[in-house]
Amino acid sequence: MRVLGIESSCDETGIALYDTEKGLLAHALFSQIEMHAEYGGVVPELASRDHIQKALPLMQQVLDEAGLQRKDIDAVAYTAGPGLVGALLVGAAIGRSLAWALTIPALPINHMEGHLLSPLLEANPPAFPFVSLLISGGHTLLVDVKGVGEYELMGESIDDAVGEAFDKTAKMLGLGYPGGPALAALAEKGQEGAHIFPRPMTNRPGLDFSFSGLKTFALNTWHNSDQSEQARADIALAFQTAAVETLVIKCRRALKQSGHKRLVVAGGVSANKSLRAALDALPKVQVYYPQLQFCSDNGAMIAFAGAMRHQAMVVETEATFNVRSRWPLDELTPPASA
Ligand code: KG4
Ligand code: ZN
């Protein structure tokens, strides 16, 4: 079975074809980062308009690369939330129309489930159950995963997502948008121990996070510094070290609480090298990540999530569809035949 995946929840148009027997056949991505960088963040209306322009050419590119035609697609999976409503509507409208025209199933996919399952695209995928740490620009979640669609929320951020805190701190340090990768690169030039930032919410029980204070701490440290290049790098390192250690402490706690021995990390921030090094050093735990190109938003994870759910699909004859700006993971249920 071949599933076409369409991702358009934010500032990346991602299209991919996943074959349940052969694996990922082809994928293509267009990032709008350059366009939004000018405004210091994502402009939703511009994002929607660009998805409209890029989705069909990318789809053609993916079909050409796979040597297939539209009639060879067996199902269409599209991101139906969470995300920017206008951007989501583009992928949903295209996905639904295509499925309608080809009389094949259309499957609305939860974007965070896409991230959560993305490490399963790799050659040695983790077996269920596992703890999932989902860290992106909009979410910081710890999830107890027993199977596809069996998600129990263990902890989440009560304010900024960790990626958002990276982005806001980077912006404050004048690093542009999106700041996560730039801040991580700058941290490499920082002096270890120049500043010690707090590890929020780690000295009390529980698995929730809070990252907005860390950003304020960085801002105050910057104002009290000589605002030199070295000061900038030292703050970047202190921020990253605190964010990483906070995530690691909570992961350790979540693993202990659940009894699971596998940790699966996904979402844009899972590309962070310092985080990967710290998690890989955890004793008696096997840690899994998506490959770097699938850490941030992409069509492959949506096609894959669609394939994982294909048993539950029925041929949708309705031409209506819905998207959701908010869609908690624990509202999902397993595919009917799982
Ligand atoms: O998953 P994603 O592409 O989009 C959302 O669904 O939000 O995640 C994007 C987030 C941004 O906040 C970006 O700054 C962050 O991931 N990010 C990083 C790194 N690469 C991307 N944060 C820290 N270190 C990185 N290397
Ligand atoms: Zn994402």
Side-chain angles (χ1 to χ4, degrees), residues 7 9-12 111-112 115 135-139 162-167 177-185 240 266-273 295-297 301:
E7 157 61 33
S9 67
C10 189
D11 57 352
E12 258 114 21
H111 179 83
M112 296 313 291
H115 277 304
I135 37 180
S136 68
H139 295 83
V162 63
E164 188 180 358
F166 262 92
D167 291 340
Y177 166 84
L183 191 131
Q240 177 173 267
V269 186
S270 69
N272 188 281
K273 278 192 238 158
C295 285
S296 48
D297 296 347
M301 68 185 196

PDB file of all heavy atoms in Angstrom, residues 7 9-12 111-112 115 135-139 162-167 177-185 240 266-273 295-297 301, ligand 1:
ATOM      1  N   GLU A   7       2.236  17.519   4.524  1.00  0.00           N
ATOM      2  CA  GLU A   7       2.428  18.298   5.759  1.00  0.00           C
ATOM      3  C   GLU A   7       2.408  19.789   5.404  1.00  0.00           C
ATOM      4  O   GLU A   7       3.158  20.232   4.539  1.00  0.00           O
ATOM      5  CB  GLU A   7       3.767  17.910   6.404  1.00  0.00           C
ATOM      6  CG  GLU A   7       4.376  18.941   7.336  1.00  0.00           C
ATOM      7  CD  GLU A   7       3.521  19.296   8.544  1.00  0.00           C
ATOM      8  OE1 GLU A   7       2.796  18.429   9.048  1.00  0.00           O
ATOM      9  OE2 GLU A   7       3.583  20.472   8.973  1.00  0.00           O
ATOM     10  N   SER A   9       1.421  22.271   8.253  1.00  0.00           N
ATOM     11  CA  SER A   9       0.848  22.864   9.470  1.00  0.00           C
ATOM     12  C   SER A   9       1.473  24.190   9.867  1.00  0.00           C
ATOM     13  O   SER A   9       0.894  24.955  10.617  1.00  0.00           O
ATOM     14  CB  SER A   9       0.980  21.888  10.633  1.00  0.00           C
ATOM     15  OG  SER A   9       2.344  21.707  10.962  1.00  0.00           O
ATOM     16  N   CYS A  10       2.685  24.464   9.346  1.00  0.00           N
ATOM     17  CA  CYS A  10       3.351  25.703   9.772  1.00  0.00           C
ATOM     18  C   CYS A  10       4.113  26.314   8.596  1.00  0.00           C
ATOM     19  O   CYS A  10       3.499  26.775   7.642  1.00  0.00           O
ATOM     20  CB  CYS A  10       4.243  25.402  10.975  1.00  0.00           C
ATOM     21  SG  CYS A  10       4.898  26.890  11.744  1.00  0.00           S
ATOM     22  N   ASP A  11       5.442  26.280   8.639  1.00  0.00           N
ATOM     23  CA  ASP A  11       6.211  26.984   7.606  1.00  0.00           C
ATOM     24  C   ASP A  11       7.013  26.057   6.712  1.00  0.00           C
ATOM     25  O   ASP A  11       7.991  26.463   6.109  1.00  0.00           O
ATOM     26  CB  ASP A  11       7.118  28.048   8.250  1.00  0.00           C
ATOM     27  CG  ASP A  11       8.065  27.443   9.286  1.00  0.00           C
ATOM     28  OD1 ASP A  11       7.925  26.255   9.606  1.00  0.00           O
ATOM     29  OD2 ASP A  11       8.943  28.176   9.764  1.00  0.00           O
ATOM     30  N   GLU A  12       6.611  24.785   6.661  1.00  0.00           N
ATOM     31  CA  GLU A  12       7.255  23.845   5.746  1.00  0.00           C
ATOM     32  C   GLU A  12       6.202  23.085   4.956  1.00  0.00           C
ATOM     33  O   GLU A  12       5.245  22.573   5.544  1.00  0.00           O
ATOM     34  CB  GLU A  12       8.098  22.826   6.524  1.00  0.00           C
ATOM     35  CG  GLU A  12       9.572  23.106   6.490  1.00  0.00           C
ATOM     36  CD  GLU A  12      10.134  23.464   7.851  1.00  0.00           C
ATOM     37  OE1 GLU A  12       9.498  23.118   8.855  1.00  0.00           O
ATOM     38  OE2 GLU A  12      11.198  24.110   7.891  1.00  0.00           O
ATOM     39  N   HIS A 111      -0.345  16.080  13.735  1.00  0.00           N
ATOM     40  CA  HIS A 111       1.048  16.450  13.481  1.00  0.00           C
ATOM     41  C   HIS A 111       2.002  15.902  14.561  1.00  0.00           C
ATOM     42  O   HIS A 111       3.100  15.422  14.247  1.00  0.00           O
ATOM     43  CB  HIS A 111       1.133  17.980  13.434  1.00  0.00           C
ATOM     44  CG  HIS A 111       2.497  18.526  13.214  1.00  0.00           C
ATOM     45  ND1 HIS A 111       3.053  18.644  11.956  1.00  0.00           N
ATOM     46  CD2 HIS A 111       3.422  18.999  14.082  1.00  0.00           C
ATOM     47  CE1 HIS A 111       4.266  19.167  12.075  1.00  0.00           C
ATOM     48  NE2 HIS A 111       4.514  19.397  13.347  1.00  0.00           N
ATOM     49  N   MET A 112       1.572  15.942  15.829  1.00  0.00           N
ATOM     50  CA  MET A 112       2.443  15.473  16.907  1.00  0.00           C
ATOM     51  C   MET A 112       2.579  13.948  16.876  1.00  0.00           C
ATOM     52  O   MET A 112       3.623  13.414  17.245  1.00  0.00           O
ATOM     53  CB  MET A 112       1.921  15.944  18.277  1.00  0.00           C
ATOM     54  CG  MET A 112       1.935  17.459  18.449  1.00  0.00           C
ATOM     55  SD  MET A 112       3.498  18.249  17.936  1.00  0.00           S
ATOM     56  CE  MET A 112       4.625  17.658  19.194  1.00  0.00           C
ATOM     57  N   HIS A 115       5.347  13.387  14.402  1.00  0.00           N
ATOM     58  CA  HIS A 115       6.669  13.506  15.049  1.00  0.00           C
ATOM     59  C   HIS A 115       6.952  12.279  15.912  1.00  0.00           C
ATOM     60  O   HIS A 115       8.038  11.711  15.866  1.00  0.00           O
ATOM     61  CB  HIS A 115       6.712  14.746  15.944  1.00  0.00           C
ATOM     62  CG  HIS A 115       7.015  16.033  15.212  1.00  0.00           C
ATOM     63  ND1 HIS A 115       8.141  16.196  14.436  1.00  0.00           N
ATOM     64  CD2 HIS A 115       6.345  17.213  15.161  1.00  0.00           C
ATOM     65  CE1 HIS A 115       8.148  17.433  13.944  1.00  0.00           C
ATOM     66  NE2 HIS A 115       7.070  18.066  14.351  1.00  0.00           N
ATOM     67  N   ILE A 135       9.658  17.391  21.335  1.00  0.00           N
ATOM     68  CA  ILE A 135      10.153  18.752  21.576  1.00  0.00           C
ATOM     69  C   ILE A 135      10.213  19.534  20.265  1.00  0.00           C
ATOM     70  O   ILE A 135      11.056  19.285  19.414  1.00  0.00           O
ATOM     71  CB  ILE A 135      11.542  18.695  22.261  1.00  0.00           C
ATOM     72  CG1 ILE A 135      12.382  17.529  21.726  1.00  0.00           C
ATOM     73  CG2 ILE A 135      11.384  18.592  23.776  1.00  0.00           C
ATOM     74  CD1 ILE A 135      13.759  17.413  22.352  1.00  0.00           C
ATOM     75  N   SER A 136       9.282  20.477  20.137  1.00  0.00           N
ATOM     76  CA  SER A 136       9.233  21.260  18.900  1.00  0.00           C
ATOM     77  C   SER A 136       9.061  22.733  19.242  1.00  0.00           C
ATOM     78  O   SER A 136       9.219  23.141  20.392  1.00  0.00           O
ATOM     79  CB  SER A 136       8.074  20.757  18.031  1.00  0.00           C
ATOM     80  OG  SER A 136       6.855  21.081  18.658  1.00  0.00           O
ATOM     81  N   GLY A 137       8.718  23.533  18.226  1.00  0.00           N
ATOM     82  CA  GLY A 137       8.530  24.965  18.451  1.00  0.00           C
ATOM     83  C   GLY A 137       7.254  25.250  19.228  1.00  0.00           C
ATOM     84  O   GLY A 137       7.127  26.287  19.871  1.00  0.00           O
ATOM     85  N   GLY A 138       6.306  24.328  19.180  1.00  0.00           N
ATOM     86  CA  GLY A 138       5.015  24.570  19.835  1.00  0.00           C
ATOM     87  C   GLY A 138       4.714  23.638  20.997  1.00  0.00           C
ATOM     88  O   GLY A 138       3.766  23.871  21.743  1.00  0.00           O
ATOM     89  N   HIS A 139       5.491  22.566  21.156  1.00  0.00           N
ATOM     90  CA  HIS A 139       5.169  21.565  22.176  1.00  0.00           C
ATOM     91  C   HIS A 139       6.396  21.050  22.918  1.00  0.00           C
ATOM     92  O   HIS A 139       7.472  20.951  22.338  1.00  0.00           O
ATOM     93  CB  HIS A 139       4.475  20.352  21.535  1.00  0.00           C
ATOM     94  CG  HIS A 139       3.137  20.660  20.942  1.00  0.00           C
ATOM     95  ND1 HIS A 139       2.997  21.195  19.694  1.00  0.00           N
ATOM     96  CD2 HIS A 139       1.896  20.518  21.438  1.00  0.00           C
ATOM     97  CE1 HIS A 139       1.708  21.368  19.433  1.00  0.00           C
ATOM     98  NE2 HIS A 139       1.019  20.969  20.478  1.00  0.00           N
ATOM     99  N   VAL A 162       9.993  24.197  24.584  1.00  0.00           N
ATOM    100  CA  VAL A 162      11.449  24.365  24.654  1.00  0.00           C
ATOM    101  C   VAL A 162      11.996  24.992  23.356  1.00  0.00           C
ATOM    102  O   VAL A 162      12.875  25.860  23.397  1.00  0.00           O
ATOM    103  CB  VAL A 162      12.163  23.037  25.038  1.00  0.00           C
ATOM    104  CG1 VAL A 162      11.955  21.961  23.999  1.00  0.00           C
ATOM    105  CG2 VAL A 162      13.649  23.286  25.273  1.00  0.00           C
ATOM    106  N   GLY A 163      11.446  24.609  22.207  1.00  0.00           N
ATOM    107  CA  GLY A 163      11.891  25.208  20.941  1.00  0.00           C
ATOM    108  C   GLY A 163      11.599  26.704  20.902  1.00  0.00           C
ATOM    109  O   GLY A 163      12.399  27.507  20.415  1.00  0.00           O
ATOM    110  N   GLU A 164      10.444  27.058  21.449  1.00  0.00           N
ATOM    111  CA  GLU A 164      10.038  28.462  21.515  1.00  0.00           C
ATOM    112  C   GLU A 164      11.012  29.257  22.398  1.00  0.00           C
ATOM    113  O   GLU A 164      11.395  30.382  22.071  1.00  0.00           O
ATOM    114  CB  GLU A 164       8.626  28.491  22.124  1.00  0.00           C
ATOM    115  CG  GLU A 164       7.927  29.806  22.121  1.00  0.00           C
ATOM    116  CD  GLU A 164       6.518  29.659  22.758  1.00  0.00           C
ATOM    117  OE1 GLU A 164       6.121  28.539  23.134  1.00  0.00           O
ATOM    118  OE2 GLU A 164       5.848  30.693  22.866  1.00  0.00           O
ATOM    119  N   ALA A 165      11.435  28.634  23.519  1.00  0.00           N
ATOM    120  CA  ALA A 165      12.387  29.290  24.416  1.00  0.00           C
ATOM    121  C   ALA A 165      13.734  29.466  23.717  1.00  0.00           C
ATOM    122  O   ALA A 165      14.387  30.510  23.847  1.00  0.00           O
ATOM    123  CB  ALA A 165      12.540  28.483  25.702  1.00  0.00           C
ATOM    124  N   PHE A 166      14.155  28.460  22.946  1.00  0.00           N
ATOM    125  CA  PHE A 166      15.379  28.573  22.139  1.00  0.00           C
ATOM    126  C   PHE A 166      15.226  29.750  21.171  1.00  0.00           C
ATOM    127  O   PHE A 166      16.110  30.581  21.038  1.00  0.00           O
ATOM    128  CB  PHE A 166      15.618  27.277  21.347  1.00  0.00           C
ATOM    129  CG  PHE A 166      16.605  26.317  21.982  1.00  0.00           C
ATOM    130  CD1 PHE A 166      16.168  25.318  22.837  1.00  0.00           C
ATOM    131  CD2 PHE A 166      17.954  26.402  21.726  1.00  0.00           C
ATOM    132  CE1 PHE A 166      17.065  24.426  23.427  1.00  0.00           C
ATOM    133  CE2 PHE A 166      18.865  25.522  22.295  1.00  0.00           C
ATOM    134  CZ  PHE A 166      18.419  24.532  23.158  1.00  0.00           C
ATOM    135  N   ASP A 167      14.081  29.792  20.488  1.00  0.00           N
ATOM    136  CA  ASP A 167      13.862  30.831  19.472  1.00  0.00           C
ATOM    137  C   ASP A 167      13.830  32.227  20.092  1.00  0.00           C
ATOM    138  O   ASP A 167      14.423  33.167  19.559  1.00  0.00           O
ATOM    139  CB  ASP A 167      12.545  30.573  18.723  1.00  0.00           C
ATOM    140  CG  ASP A 167      12.618  29.339  17.844  1.00  0.00           C
ATOM    141  OD1 ASP A 167      13.733  28.906  17.510  1.00  0.00           O
ATOM    142  OD2 ASP A 167      11.552  28.794  17.490  1.00  0.00           O
ATOM    143  N   TYR A 177      15.656  34.396  13.041  1.00  0.00           N
ATOM    144  CA  TYR A 177      14.637  33.360  13.146  1.00  0.00           C
ATOM    145  C   TYR A 177      14.896  32.255  12.122  1.00  0.00           C
ATOM    146  O   TYR A 177      15.274  32.561  10.991  1.00  0.00           O
ATOM    147  CB  TYR A 177      13.251  33.963  12.889  1.00  0.00           C
ATOM    148  CG  TYR A 177      12.198  32.919  12.649  1.00  0.00           C
ATOM    149  CD1 TYR A 177      11.555  32.305  13.710  1.00  0.00           C
ATOM    150  CD2 TYR A 177      11.907  32.493  11.347  1.00  0.00           C
ATOM    151  CE1 TYR A 177      10.638  31.307  13.487  1.00  0.00           C
ATOM    152  CE2 TYR A 177      10.986  31.488  11.125  1.00  0.00           C
ATOM    153  CZ  TYR A 177      10.355  30.912  12.194  1.00  0.00           C
ATOM    154  OH  TYR A 177       9.451  29.906  11.981  1.00  0.00           O
ATOM    155  N   PRO A 178      14.664  30.966  12.432  1.00  0.00           N
ATOM    156  CA  PRO A 178      14.397  30.435  13.762  1.00  0.00           C
ATOM    157  C   PRO A 178      15.718  30.293  14.486  1.00  0.00           C
ATOM    158  O   PRO A 178      16.726  29.893  13.896  1.00  0.00           O
ATOM    159  CB  PRO A 178      13.768  29.079  13.477  1.00  0.00           C
ATOM    160  CG  PRO A 178      14.379  28.647  12.188  1.00  0.00           C
ATOM    161  CD  PRO A 178      14.747  29.897  11.427  1.00  0.00           C
ATOM    162  N   GLY A 179      15.732  30.597  15.742  1.00  0.00           N
ATOM    163  CA  GLY A 179      16.996  30.742  16.451  1.00  0.00           C
ATOM    164  C   GLY A 179      17.612  29.484  17.009  1.00  0.00           C
ATOM    165  O   GLY A 179      18.792  29.486  17.355  1.00  0.00           O
ATOM    166  N   GLY A 180      16.828  28.393  17.134  1.00  0.00           N
ATOM    167  CA  GLY A 180      17.345  27.174  17.777  1.00  0.00           C
ATOM    168  C   GLY A 180      18.699  26.727  17.244  1.00  0.00           C
ATOM    169  O   GLY A 180      19.668  26.665  18.006  1.00  0.00           O
ATOM    170  N   PRO A 181      18.781  26.435  15.943  1.00  0.00           N
ATOM    171  CA  PRO A 181      20.063  25.956  15.409  1.00  0.00           C
ATOM    172  C   PRO A 181      21.186  26.997  15.557  1.00  0.00           C
ATOM    173  O   PRO A 181      22.328  26.636  15.856  1.00  0.00           O
ATOM    174  CB  PRO A 181      19.764  25.706  13.924  1.00  0.00           C
ATOM    175  CG  PRO A 181      18.277  25.549  13.851  1.00  0.00           C
ATOM    176  CD  PRO A 181      17.714  26.396  14.942  1.00  0.00           C
ATOM    177  N   ALA A 182      20.858  28.284  15.394  1.00  0.00           N
ATOM    178  CA  ALA A 182      21.871  29.347  15.505  1.00  0.00           C
ATOM    179  C   ALA A 182      22.372  29.445  16.943  1.00  0.00           C
ATOM    180  O   ALA A 182      23.579  29.608  17.189  1.00  0.00           O
ATOM    181  CB  ALA A 182      21.289  30.683  15.062  1.00  0.00           C
ATOM    182  N   LEU A 183      21.448  29.338  17.888  1.00  0.00           N
ATOM    183  CA  LEU A 183      21.843  29.418  19.295  1.00  0.00           C
ATOM    184  C   LEU A 183      22.729  28.222  19.665  1.00  0.00           C
ATOM    185  O   LEU A 183      23.732  28.367  20.367  1.00  0.00           O
ATOM    186  CB  LEU A 183      20.600  29.481  20.188  1.00  0.00           C
ATOM    187  CG  LEU A 183      20.899  29.821  21.645  1.00  0.00           C
ATOM    188  CD1 LEU A 183      19.985  30.933  22.142  1.00  0.00           C
ATOM    189  CD2 LEU A 183      20.739  28.620  22.541  1.00  0.00           C
ATOM    190  N   ALA A 184      22.350  27.042  19.148  1.00  0.00           N
ATOM    191  CA  ALA A 184      23.141  25.837  19.426  1.00  0.00           C
ATOM    192  C   ALA A 184      24.557  25.984  18.858  1.00  0.00           C
ATOM    193  O   ALA A 184      25.539  25.589  19.495  1.00  0.00           O
ATOM    194  CB  ALA A 184      22.452  24.614  18.833  1.00  0.00           C
ATOM    195  N   ALA A 185      24.676  26.578  17.671  1.00  0.00           N
ATOM    196  CA  ALA A 185      25.992  26.768  17.051  1.00  0.00           C
ATOM    197  C   ALA A 185      26.820  27.765  17.861  1.00  0.00           C
ATOM    198  O   ALA A 185      28.011  27.552  18.100  1.00  0.00           O
ATOM    199  CB  ALA A 185      25.823  27.258  15.612  1.00  0.00           C
ATOM    200  N   GLN A 240      21.486  26.739  26.830  1.00  0.00           N
ATOM    201  CA  GLN A 240      21.361  25.387  26.255  1.00  0.00           C
ATOM    202  C   GLN A 240      21.629  24.310  27.312  1.00  0.00           C
ATOM    203  O   GLN A 240      20.899  23.315  27.401  1.00  0.00           O
ATOM    204  CB  GLN A 240      22.329  25.220  25.085  1.00  0.00           C
ATOM    205  CG  GLN A 240      22.309  23.819  24.503  1.00  0.00           C
ATOM    206  CD  GLN A 240      23.136  23.705  23.240  1.00  0.00           C
ATOM    207  OE1 GLN A 240      22.633  23.856  22.145  1.00  0.00           O
ATOM    208  NE2 GLN A 240      24.426  23.466  23.400  1.00  0.00           N
ATOM    209  N   ALA A 266      11.754  13.130  19.495  1.00  0.00           N
ATOM    210  CA  ALA A 266      11.441  13.632  18.150  1.00  0.00           C
ATOM    211  C   ALA A 266      11.000  15.086  18.210  1.00  0.00           C
ATOM    212  O   ALA A 266      10.832  15.649  19.295  1.00  0.00           O
ATOM    213  CB  ALA A 266      10.353  12.764  17.520  1.00  0.00           C
ATOM    214  N   GLY A 267      10.849  15.707  17.045  1.00  0.00           N
ATOM    215  CA  GLY A 267      10.516  17.133  16.952  1.00  0.00           C
ATOM    216  C   GLY A 267      11.774  17.924  16.672  1.00  0.00           C
ATOM    217  O   GLY A 267      12.900  17.421  16.849  1.00  0.00           O
ATOM    218  N   GLY A 268      11.607  19.183  16.236  1.00  0.00           N
ATOM    219  CA  GLY A 268      12.731  20.013  15.803  1.00  0.00           C
ATOM    220  C   GLY A 268      13.915  20.046  16.758  1.00  0.00           C
ATOM    221  O   GLY A 268      15.071  19.947  16.322  1.00  0.00           O
ATOM    222  N   VAL A 269      13.665  20.134  18.062  1.00  0.00           N
ATOM    223  CA  VAL A 269      14.758  20.271  19.030  1.00  0.00           C
ATOM    224  C   VAL A 269      15.546  18.957  19.186  1.00  0.00           C
ATOM    225  O   VAL A 269      16.669  18.957  19.696  1.00  0.00           O
ATOM    226  CB  VAL A 269      14.220  20.784  20.392  1.00  0.00           C
ATOM    227  CG1 VAL A 269      15.351  21.081  21.362  1.00  0.00           C
ATOM    228  CG2 VAL A 269      13.377  22.051  20.209  1.00  0.00           C
ATOM    229  N   SER A 270      14.975  17.847  18.704  1.00  0.00           N
ATOM    230  CA  SER A 270      15.705  16.573  18.803  1.00  0.00           C
ATOM    231  C   SER A 270      16.935  16.559  17.904  1.00  0.00           C
ATOM    232  O   SER A 270      17.751  15.638  17.972  1.00  0.00           O
ATOM    233  CB  SER A 270      14.798  15.375  18.493  1.00  0.00           C
ATOM    234  OG  SER A 270      14.429  15.352  17.138  1.00  0.00           O
ATOM    235  N   ALA A 271      17.103  17.595  17.084  1.00  0.00           N
ATOM    236  CA  ALA A 271      18.312  17.711  16.263  1.00  0.00           C
ATOM    237  C   ALA A 271      19.479  18.229  17.101  1.00  0.00           C
ATOM    238  O   ALA A 271      20.630  18.158  16.664  1.00  0.00           O
ATOM    239  CB  ALA A 271      18.058  18.666  15.090  1.00  0.00           C
ATOM    240  N   ASN A 272      19.200  18.752  18.280  1.00  0.00           N
ATOM    241  CA  ASN A 272      20.236  19.380  19.105  1.00  0.00           C
ATOM    242  C   ASN A 272      21.308  18.370  19.548  1.00  0.00           C
ATOM    243  O   ASN A 272      21.005  17.382  20.221  1.00  0.00           O
ATOM    244  CB  ASN A 272      19.590  20.049  20.331  1.00  0.00           C
ATOM    245  CG  ASN A 272      20.583  20.875  21.100  1.00  0.00           C
ATOM    246  OD1 ASN A 272      21.374  20.354  21.862  1.00  0.00           O
ATOM    247  ND2 ASN A 272      20.542  22.181  20.892  1.00  0.00           N
ATOM    248  N   LYS A 273      22.558  18.646  19.181  1.00  0.00           N
ATOM    249  CA  LYS A 273      23.664  17.714  19.430  1.00  0.00           C
ATOM    250  C   LYS A 273      23.951  17.532  20.910  1.00  0.00           C
ATOM    251  O   LYS A 273      24.227  16.428  21.373  1.00  0.00           O
ATOM    252  CB  LYS A 273      24.942  18.249  18.753  1.00  0.00           C
ATOM    253  CG  LYS A 273      25.016  17.920  17.279  1.00  0.00           C
ATOM    254  CD  LYS A 273      26.424  18.216  16.781  1.00  0.00           C
ATOM    255  CE  LYS A 273      26.367  19.228  15.658  1.00  0.00           C
ATOM    256  NZ  LYS A 273      27.584  19.962  15.417  1.00  0.00           N
ATOM    257  N   CYS A 295      13.771  15.428  11.740  1.00  0.00           N
ATOM    258  CA  CYS A 295      13.512  15.982  13.088  1.00  0.00           C
ATOM    259  C   CYS A 295      12.490  17.105  12.979  1.00  0.00           C
ATOM    260  O   CYS A 295      11.528  17.167  13.730  1.00  0.00           O
ATOM    261  CB  CYS A 295      14.795  16.532  13.698  1.00  0.00           C
ATOM    262  SG  CYS A 295      15.898  15.237  14.270  1.00  0.00           S
ATOM    263  N   SER A 296      12.696  18.014  12.041  1.00  0.00           N
ATOM    264  CA  SER A 296      11.738  19.110  11.878  1.00  0.00           C
ATOM    265  C   SER A 296      10.618  18.656  10.949  1.00  0.00           C
ATOM    266  O   SER A 296      10.600  17.520  10.468  1.00  0.00           O
ATOM    267  CB  SER A 296      12.447  20.360  11.377  1.00  0.00           C
ATOM    268  OG  SER A 296      13.266  20.039  10.301  1.00  0.00           O
ATOM    269  N   ASP A 297       9.674  19.543  10.689  1.00  0.00           N
ATOM    270  CA  ASP A 297       8.466  19.160   9.962  1.00  0.00           C
ATOM    271  C   ASP A 297       8.777  18.578   8.576  1.00  0.00           C
ATOM    272  O   ASP A 297       9.636  19.089   7.868  1.00  0.00           O
ATOM    273  CB  ASP A 297       7.546  20.377   9.829  1.00  0.00           C
ATOM    274  CG  ASP A 297       7.073  20.852  11.187  1.00  0.00           C
ATOM    275  OD1 ASP A 297       7.252  20.113  12.170  1.00  0.00           O
ATOM    276  OD2 ASP A 297       6.518  21.956  11.257  1.00  0.00           O
ATOM    277  N   MET A 301       6.947  11.824   7.794  1.00  0.00           N
ATOM    278  CA  MET A 301       6.337  11.373   9.060  1.00  0.00           C
ATOM    279  C   MET A 301       4.810  11.311   8.944  1.00  0.00           C
ATOM    280  O   MET A 301       4.172  10.487   9.612  1.00  0.00           O
ATOM    281  CB  MET A 301       6.766  12.285  10.222  1.00  0.00           C
ATOM    282  CG  MET A 301       6.230  13.698  10.154  1.00  0.00           C
ATOM    283  SD  MET A 301       6.925  14.716  11.499  1.00  0.00           S
ATOM    284  CE  MET A 301       5.782  16.126  11.472  1.00  0.00           C
TER     285      MET A 301
HETATM  286  O1  KG4 B   1       9.235  20.316  14.833  1.00  0.00           O
HETATM  287  P1  KG4 B   1       9.569  21.661  14.293  1.00  0.00           P
HETATM  288  O2  KG4 B   1      10.289  21.756  12.984  1.00  0.00           O
HETATM  289  O3  KG4 B   1       8.316  22.548  14.130  1.00  0.00           O
HETATM  290  C1  KG4 B   1       7.255  22.556  15.006  1.00  0.00           C
HETATM  291  O4  KG4 B   1       6.381  21.657  14.883  1.00  0.00           O
HETATM  292  O5  KG4 B   1       7.287  23.443  15.884  1.00  0.00           O
HETATM  293  O6  KG4 B   1      10.451  22.378  15.437  1.00  0.00           O
HETATM  294  C2  KG4 B   1      10.995  23.641  15.242  1.00  0.00           C
HETATM  295  C3  KG4 B   1      11.736  24.053  16.490  1.00  0.00           C
HETATM  296  C4  KG4 B   1      12.158  25.520  16.456  1.00  0.00           C
HETATM  297  O7  KG4 B   1      11.829  26.113  17.684  1.00  0.00           O
HETATM  298  C5  KG4 B   1      13.659  25.437  16.243  1.00  0.00           C
HETATM  299  O8  KG4 B   1      14.370  26.543  16.756  1.00  0.00           O
HETATM  300  C6  KG4 B   1      14.003  24.173  17.006  1.00  0.00           C
HETATM  301  O9  KG4 B   1      12.941  23.286  16.659  1.00  0.00           O
HETATM  302  N1  KG4 B   1      15.305  23.596  16.633  1.00  0.00           N
HETATM  303  C7  KG4 B   1      16.353  23.486  17.489  1.00  0.00           C
HETATM  304  C8  KG4 B   1      17.417  22.914  16.750  1.00  0.00           C
HETATM  305  N2  KG4 B   1      16.971  22.691  15.478  1.00  0.00           N
HETATM  306  C9  KG4 B   1      15.667  23.116  15.428  1.00  0.00           C
HETATM  307  N3  KG4 B   1      16.480  23.823  18.779  1.00  0.00           N
HETATM  308  C10 KG4 B   1      17.667  23.592  19.364  1.00  0.00           C
HETATM  309  N4  KG4 B   1      18.734  23.054  18.729  1.00  0.00           N
HETATM  310  C11 KG4 B   1      18.658  22.702  17.431  1.00  0.00           C
HETATM  311  N5  KG4 B   1      19.714  22.162  16.815  1.00  0.00           N
END
